[in-house]
Amino acid sequence: MKLDAKIPEGPLQEKWNRYKATCRLVSPNNKKKLDIIVVGTGLAGSSAAASFAEMGYKVKSFCFQDSPRRAHSVAAQGGVNASKNYQNDGDSAFRMFYDTLKGGDFRAREANVYRLAECSANLIDQAVAQGVPFAREYGGYLANRSFGGVQVRRTFYARGQTGQQLLLGAYSALNRQVAEGNIELFSRHEMLELVLIDGKARGIIARNLDTGEIERHAAHAVVLATGGYGKIYYLSTLAMGCNGSAIWRAHKKGAGFASASWTQIHPTCLPQSGDYQSKLTLMSESLRNDGRIWVPKKENDPREPGDIPEDERDYYLERRYPAFGNLAPRDIASRAAKERIDAGFGVGPQRNAVYLDFAHAIQEYGEDTIRERYGNLFRMYEKITGHNAYQRPMMISPAAHFSMGGLWVDYELMTSIPGLYAIGECNFSDHGANRLGANSLLQACVDGYFILPYTIGNYLADELRAGKISTDHPAFAEAETQVREQLQRFLDIKGNRTATDYHKELGLLLYDKCGVQRTKEGLESAIEKIRALRADFWENLRVPGTSEHVNTELEKAGRVADYLELAELMCYDALTRDESCGAHFREEFQTAEGEAERRDEEYQFVSVWEYAAADQEPVLHREELEFETIQPSVRSYK
């Protein structure tokens, strides 16, 4: 595997403009001769597909949901970052670049991160033009609030439903192109294999989830926008359908997988209430603007929160990180919460939560103001828990949320397979070892609206000579045969355990050994147990029914089979990185104060993994990170 990041020459602030001025173009008349497949219809997929079609390409768009509107981007509640400096508090593209790079513990490319910050301002203008109802100040200006890891207000929001409103804008743009005949939409379809011809991505094999029909789809380029793999932990903030199968199938075809173990545990989720749960609920990080996080100073304190006086409360984030307080980055806030819970200071029926208290904010601003800012979140909390958060603190707990790792991509967002692109959360590109809040919606939109529409032309300019790609090519027949054989293999096992049963066991194992904290001993143990679990899966799985109609158990089986392989790679990745950085916290590598201890001399690189075989260890490649503008420093929020 050859890794070429293709970072343009020149000063950091000029790289993107230099690239756009010199990249190859496809003329308007030739665009209609080229086909692009986009898998996924979240913010990244919908924006990319709509942009391609608007430019004149012929696009096929795929989603496994019944409508693109059901993509998981709707769950990103709190806001989207942009360096417009509306608050005149010192923000700039460079400061946003620095905050993002530092927030990721200096484990991302400078060029990609600066481009993200540079393009952020354009996104807000685009969204407003689409009609996204961002919150506004009394005078009509767009409002902003802060998120974790920053000291300015750069987060634009639409109450607690920013992702949904942004997706409605992208969905409208997508539907317009569907109506124009430039996009062919395939809902209730799941990609099961990537097709390569002469080493280039030329199409996919998909299954119609309603009829069971296996379909071939060809194109000159394939774009994956399929989100992250955080659902591998089973209990997570992600929807039940979220999965990592598309990127894992691409990885097994030769696409490098980068930083697999960098998964984010979100600090502001509702705690688990019982074994019956299949997912956890995310409460927006925006709540940390006004909510204060605390636990009792007394272990196993049985008192109600209102009965605990101020001097017997430990506002531990404010105590440990006074400069950022309750807005410390997610990885730090999650570790701090877990430490307090593990030490015996947890609250709630299962002692697995901490308090998020709005009493001070209500006293200062009034309940009406807090209701205006977060009303829908408070209603959701009361509907789920039965408690009124205006009157007593919320209870929150860390939970699996986001994948910083994903398919390796270069500056053009192309994977190590020519013609295969990965955008949004399914690539590793912008966040390093920890993502700052409100940067996920930003990356998805920027990749789809402003970056890939430029960079894909640089590749497609040479593909006009290829002519129409035919699904009659032997590579499609071979890929379809492999898909059919695997589906039948699931059905033929006829064991006694469901795919969900295996998923639960895997999730518990991963959260314990490769979650908030990791150790060498724990990771080695996890690899052995994952291998044993995978072997049992292929002997004792039970999938009822057939493959010829709707069969959700068959869908789950394929996703869990992929998770059982991806989980092992996650543990390998964590095991081979003998340092702590961002969300990757190895207990052997911490300071005397319990903070992460980076080892830049040995590990200032991105781990990129090449698939070998199911029974072989993956092959490690390194993309060295060079910092020309900012020198990595100790990541302190004190």
Side-chain angles (χ1 to χ4, degrees), residues 44-81:
S46 287
S47 59
S51 298
F52 294 150
E54 189 79 42
M55 295 165 71
Y57 295 109
K58 293 300 180 183
V59 180
K60 287 185 176 182
S61 173
F62 294 81
C63 67
F64 65 75
Q65 299 95 341
D66 55 6
S67 165
R69 280 188 60 182
R70 294 179 66 85
H72 196 60
S73 296
V74 300
Q77 304 158 323
V80 57
N81 287 334

Side-chain angles (χ1 to χ4, degrees), residues 38 40-49 73 225 423-425 443-445 447-449:
V38 181
T41 58
L43 271 173
S46 287
S47 59
S73 296
I423 59 176
E425 190 180 349
Q443 185 209 354
C445 292
D447 283 359
Y449 283 129

Side-chain angles (χ1 to χ4, degrees), residues 200 202 220-221 414 418-419 421 455-463:
K200 295 181 178 181
R202 291 303 196 196
H220 295 88
M414 186 190 288
Y421 294 82
T455 63
I456 200 168
N458 203 40
Y459 170 78
L460 290 177
D462 284 338
E463 297 307 306

Side-chain angles (χ1 to χ4, degrees), residues 267-268 288 291-295 314-318 326 333 337 354-357 396:
T268 319
R288 292 202 279 152
R292 298 180 69 193
I293 296 172
W294 63 275
V295 293
D314 179 12
Y315 294 91
Y316 58 88
L317 287 177
E318 298 174 28
N326 297 295
V354 298
Y355 288 128
L356 179 62
D357 197 336
I396 58 171

Side-chain angles (χ1 to χ4, degrees), residues 33-350:
K33 301 175 185 176
L34 296 168
D35 300 306
I36 302 174
I37 285 173
V38 181
V39 184
T41 58
L43 271 173
S46 287
S47 59
S51 298
F52 294 150
E54 189 79 42
M55 295 165 71
Y57 295 109
K58 293 300 180 183
V59 180
K60 287 185 176 182
S61 173
F62 294 81
C63 67
F64 65 75
Q65 299 95 341
D66 55 6
S67 165
R69 280 188 60 182
R70 294 179 66 85
H72 196 60
S73 296
V74 300
Q77 304 158 323
V80 57
N81 287 334
S83 58
K84 278 190 169 286
N85 195 32
Y86 280 173
Q87 306 300 320
N88 197 29
D89 54 4
D91 200 12
S92 64
F94 187 87
R95 188 174 294 276
M96 184 175 175
F97 153 71
Y98 176 77
D99 286 344
T100 301
L101 201 64
K102 176 186 174 184
D105 225 347
F106 302 97
R107 289 295 178 262
R109 291 189 200 123
E110 279 191 337
N112 287 61
V113 175
Y114 190 84
R115 179 174 63 184
L116 180 75
E118 185 180 10
C119 293
S120 65
N122 293 336
L123 171 61
I124 302 305
D125 298 337
Q126 164 106 0
V128 169
Q130 288 178 332
V132 174
F134 287 124
R136 293 180 181 269
E137 305 287 1
Y138 178 77
Y141 295 105
L142 295 182
N144 292 114
R145 57 192 179 201
S146 292
F147 260 53
V150 304
Q151 292 178 307
V152 298
R153 288 183 289 172
R154 67 164 66 102
T155 304
F156 295 77
Y157 61 96
R159 284 202 173 182
Q161 48 186 261
T162 314
Q164 178 175 326
Q165 297 300 328
L166 285 169
L167 186 62
L168 286 172
Y171 173 69
S172 299
L174 177 77
N175 265 2
R176 178 175 179 273
Q177 293 303 317
V178 171
E180 292 287 333
N182 298 324
I183 294 178
E184 190 175 1
L185 180 62
F186 295 86
S187 59
R188 296 287 295 151
H189 279 66
E190 182 169 26
M191 171 186 160
L192 295 182
E193 190 59 280
L194 176 71
V195 180
L196 304 184
I197 298 177
D198 297 328
K200 295 181 178 181
R202 291 303 196 196
I204 65 171
I205 304 296
R207 180 172 180 265
N208 184 319
L209 299 180
D210 289 331
T211 66
E213 183 180 357
I214 304 299
E215 302 175 1
R216 305 176 183 182
H217 297 275
H220 295 88
V222 176
V223 178
L224 300 184
T226 52
Y229 50 91
K231 193 62 186 171
I232 196 169
Y233 291 97
Y234 189 70
L235 282 180
S236 78
T237 66
L238 280 74
M240 288 301 294
C242 294
N243 64 86
S245 285
I247 57 174
W248 189 251
R249 306 291 170 85
H251 174 58
K252 293 177 75 171
K253 280 295 184 76
F257 206 113
S259 309
S261 67
W262 289 351
T263 50
Q264 183 170 84
I265 308 298
H266 198 294
T268 319
C269 306
L270 299 191
Q272 182 181 2
S273 57
D275 293 337
Y276 56 85
Q277 282 184 264
S278 58
K279 76 175 297 293
L280 298 173
T281 301
L282 172 68
M283 300 305 293
S284 169
E285 182 175 305
S286 62
L287 294 170
R288 292 202 279 152
N289 272 277
D290 291 304
R292 298 180 69 193
I293 296 172
W294 63 275
V295 293
K297 291 183 178 179
K298 177 184 175 182
E299 288 186 48
N300 299 313
D301 195 325
R303 291 176 291 178
E304 288 293 307
D307 297 333
I308 302 175
E310 277 290 314
D311 61 352
E312 296 181 34
R313 301 179 179 189
D314 179 12
Y315 294 91
Y316 58 88
L317 287 177
E318 298 174 28
R319 169 172 56 83
R320 293 178 60 179
Y321 307 102
F324 285 74
N326 297 295
L327 286 174
R330 290 177 177 178
D331 59 319
I332 289 174
S334 291
R335 279 199 301 275
K338 187 175 187 300
E339 184 275 328
R340 289 290 81 192
I341 292 169
D342 291 347
F345 298 94
V347 300
Q350 299 192 35

Side-chain angles (χ1 to χ4, degrees), residues 575-631:
L575 186 61
T576 55
R577 188 168 284 273
D578 288 339
E579 68 164 352
S580 291
C581 60
H584 171 61
F585 191 82
R586 284 279 298 273
E587 292 183 16
E588 304 94 329
F589 302 97
Q590 55 182 304
T591 67
E593 296 179 316
E595 303 298 336
E597 184 178 68
R598 273 196 343 262
R599 301 176 65 197
D600 292 342
E601 298 79 9
E602 294 88 359
Y603 293 98
Q604 193 167 289
F605 64 85
V606 174
S607 299
V608 186
W609 296 92
E610 179 181 356
Y611 184 80
D615 57 346
Q616 297 179 21
E617 293 186 5
V619 180
L620 175 62
H621 300 265
R622 297 163 48 131
E623 183 198 337
E624 302 293 339
L625 292 171
E626 298 179 4
F627 296 97
E628 301 175 0
T629 306
I630 294 176
Q631 290 307 307

Side-chain angles (χ1 to χ4, degrees), residues 520-536:
K520 180 176 185 292
E521 181 181 0
L523 291 165
E524 289 174 340
S525 170
I527 290 171
E528 291 183 11
K529 291 178 179 179
I530 290 167
R531 289 174 176 171
L533 187 63
R534 187 166 67 240
D536 189 76

